Amino acid sequence: MAKTSLKRTLSLWQVTALGLAWNTPMIYFSTFGISYESASGQLLITYVLSFLAILLTGTSYAKLAKKLPLSGSAYTYAKATIHPNAGFLVGWVVLLNYLFAPIIACITFGVFLSAQFPSIPPFVWIGGLLILLTLIAIRGVGASANISALFVAIQLLFIGGFGALLLFNLIQNGSTLPFTQTFADPILSIDNPVHALFMGTSVVVFSFLGFDTITTLSEETKNPEKTIPRAIYMILFIVGGFHLSSSFFIQSSFPSLSFLNLDAAALEMMATVGGPILQGIFILVLTMAIFTQGLASITAVSRLLFAMGRDNLLPERLFSYIHPTYNTPVFNILLSSTLSLTAIFLSVDTAMRFVNFGALTSFFFVNLCVISLAYKQKENVPFFKSYFVPAIAALIMMSLVSFLDLVTLTVGLIWMTLGCLYLLYLTKAFRHPLARWQPGKHSERTIV
């Protein structure tokens, strides 16, 4: 098979834009009803807990991205630091996360546009979105990054404007309450027991996912050892700042809420806050947001499939194929787009929980990778950063997984079991080991 040359084209801002696009700051609103119900209205505290948990794991991703600037994300890290078999199983779990990400984009796109235009069924919106996403993704990641940067900026402007509107309303309507009571209630009023807060956190954490996908672009990024870690922290703090401030102002403005349609709850809230005008602007911005989320999601899953195909863990002829003109993994893009058609039959809540299972489980292993890497380096490494912090982060990730509902855990364990069986097939019951990772082995070929 012909090999294409390595093309590092992505800058810090482009990588950050792609990460924010996958995360989608507006995901806060597109999944608002489910998050609100899962948190029992205690949005701020559950978002604070989620942010702190993800920040610890983000530190582990940044450390590994600096040491191993290769595509594949958690799959590559586990393969290089623990064992090839562990790498395969982690990659298999990450697939569950990455495959469902574009599905969520399609579901929310269909739900909100159908709520706004009831005469058009959701499957029409879903099909149209997938055709557009596929065509753009095939053209290359550079185009994806530039489109994402513009749409992400529009999202952040909308969220900032919405927060300012809520603050203005609070100031206008809060004269009957002491100032400290109006703004301290969301912080001090924690009515739910601890286990309920963690159950809410295990769902709300979905809003922070996405920063990890930029590690799949390491081989397409300029100076990835510095660029990828910086982008990880930028994404986390930008997203964290907007999500926490949104939670604070919403909880201050609406101590209790109820919705007619949980999946489109944010649309109802926009009508309450700003009437039809704000509702229309919200739909427009959300459409852009979901578009960029879907584009970044298909980009990420196609790169993970490429990395696994390149290592012959999936049929190499198909999954490592790169289009000679566009330098993109066309087969992987078409496959992920086709699978995303299942959005027609799934709910947002169901897809979210499967993504959370895959993400939280892979985050657990990424933290273990940091510990394994420190141990294998056999040199003086800071105990706190290299052992204590990732160990705490790993325990938090597993505790959040344990708070997911029984159906999600069952499906997740079935998926992992299938992965174990496939690993047995690949290794002939462990008689033939998978190829070990070697530095520089894949530097000859990548994608753009």
Side-chain angles (χ1 to χ4, degrees):
M1 183 182 297
K3 295 184 178 181
T4 63
S5 59
L6 179 66
K7 294 184 179 180
R8 297 191 183 276
T9 60
L10 298 177
S11 66
L12 172 62
W13 294 107
Q14 286 180 312
V15 173
T16 303
L18 278 171
L20 286 171
W22 194 98
N23 170 271
T24 311
M26 288 288 287
I27 200 74
Y28 179 93
F29 295 105
S30 63
T31 59
F32 179 78
I34 296 165
S35 297
Y36 188 87
E37 183 184 54
S38 300
S40 299
Q42 301 289 312
L43 285 173
L44 184 58
I45 184 62
T46 51
Y47 269 97
V48 168
L49 292 174
S50 298
F51 174 69
L52 294 176
I54 292 297
L55 185 59
L56 290 177
T57 294
T59 301
S60 293
Y61 268 99
K63 182 182 286 291
L64 292 168
K66 183 176 181 179
K67 296 287 186 180
L68 303 168
L70 295 169
S71 292
S73 189
Y75 155 67
T76 296
Y77 300 152
K79 181 176 64 169
T81 62
I82 301 176
H83 192 275
N85 291 348
F88 170 80
L89 291 176
V90 171
W92 186 262
V93 172
V94 172
L95 268 180
L96 188 66
N97 171 10
Y98 282 18
L99 287 172
F100 270 94
I103 292 174
I104 290 176
C106 292
I107 296 172
T108 52
F109 193 78
V111 165
F112 280 95
L113 286 178
S114 292
Q116 189 72 0
F117 306 102
S119 60
I120 302 177
F123 72 84
V124 174
W125 297 112
I126 291 171
L129 175 65
L130 280 173
I131 291 172
L132 187 59
L133 291 178
T134 302
L135 293 175
I136 295 177
I138 288 174
R139 290 299 299 270
V141 72
S144 301
N146 294 331
I147 294 172
S148 299
L150 174 62
F151 285 2
V152 165
I154 293 172
Q155 291 178 62
L156 297 180
L157 284 173
F158 175 85
I159 297 171
F162 177 73
L165 181 59
L166 288 180
L167 178 59
F168 176 78
N169 289 340
L170 276 172
I171 294 173
Q172 290 290 103
N173 303 325
S175 57
T176 58
L177 293 174
F179 179 85
T180 53
Q181 181 180 344
T182 301
F183 291 96
D185 276 354
I187 301 173
L188 301 178
S189 60
I190 303 175
D191 302 324
N192 296 332
V194 174
H195 76 276
L197 290 176
F198 276 96
M199 287 182 68
T201 301
S202 69
V203 176
V204 166
V205 73
F206 174 81
S207 297
F208 291 97
L209 305 183
F211 72 91
D212 55 303
T213 60
I214 64 172
T215 59
T216 65
L217 303 174
S218 291
E219 295 179 40
E220 303 162 80
T221 301
K222 300 173 185 176
N223 195 12
E225 295 88 347
K226 293 183 178 179
T227 301
I228 297 296
R230 288 174 182 172
I232 286 172
Y233 287 119
M234 287 177 65
I235 292 167
L236 287 177
F237 281 103
I238 290 172
V239 170
F242 278 96
H243 287 352
L244 295 181
S245 59
S246 295
S247 299
F248 177 82
F249 288 123
I250 290 172
Q251 203 170 323
S252 296
S253 302
F254 306 105
S256 62
L257 287 169
S258 59
F259 308 105
L260 297 176
N261 182 358
L262 204 61
D263 285 345
L267 194 62
E268 298 177 26
M269 183 174 64
M270 294 298 160
T272 301
V273 174
I277 294 177
L278 182 61
Q279 204 174 32
I281 296 173
F282 169 74
I283 283 293
L284 178 62
V285 176
L286 185 66
T287 300
M288 297 179 183
I290 293 172
F291 173 80
T292 54
Q293 180 200 354
L295 187 58
S297 299
I298 287 178
T299 298
V301 70
S302 66
R303 270 57 179 176
L304 177 60
L305 291 170
F306 167 80
M308 297 182 75
R310 183 176 60 181
D311 292 340
N312 207 25
L313 298 181
L314 296 172
E316 183 179 12
R317 183 180 180 85
L318 295 175
F319 289 92
S320 69
Y321 170 75
I322 300 174
H323 193 279
T325 301
Y326 300 119
N327 285 350
T328 52
V330 173
F331 174 80
N332 299 340
I333 292 169
L334 293 174
L335 176 63
S336 59
S337 298
T338 302
L339 291 176
S340 296
L341 287 171
T342 56
I344 297 171
F345 311 104
L346 296 174
S347 68
V348 176
D349 185 35
T350 301
M352 271 181 62
R353 293 176 189 275
F354 290 151
V355 168
N356 283 0
F357 177 88
L360 294 173
T361 304
S362 65
F363 289 175
F364 168 78
F365 282 103
V366 164
N367 287 299
L368 294 187
C369 289
V370 174
I371 297 172
S372 178
L373 180 63
Y375 177 78
K376 289 182 176 181
Q377 284 179 331
K378 300 185 184 302
E379 59 185 46
N380 290 328
V381 292
F383 176 82
F384 185 78
K385 291 183 179 180
S386 299
Y387 291 99
F388 183 77
V389 172
I392 294 297
L395 289 174
I396 292 173
M397 291 301 113
M398 272 297 94
S399 67
L400 291 178
V401 170
S402 69
F403 281 107
L404 292 172
D405 64 281
L406 182 60
V407 173
T408 302
L409 290 174
T410 301
V411 173
L413 291 174
I414 290 173
W415 177 260
M416 292 184 68
T417 301
L418 292 174
C420 290
L421 293 174
Y422 185 46
L423 179 61
L424 286 172
Y425 166 77
L426 290 174
T427 59
K428 308 300 181 185
F430 301 117
R431 291 193 298 270
H432 300 286
L434 298 176
R436 288 189 173 275
W437 176 81
Q438 298 175 8
K441 179 180 177 182
H442 298 311
S443 60
E444 297 178 352
R445 181 179 62 182
T446 191
I447 46 185
V448 298

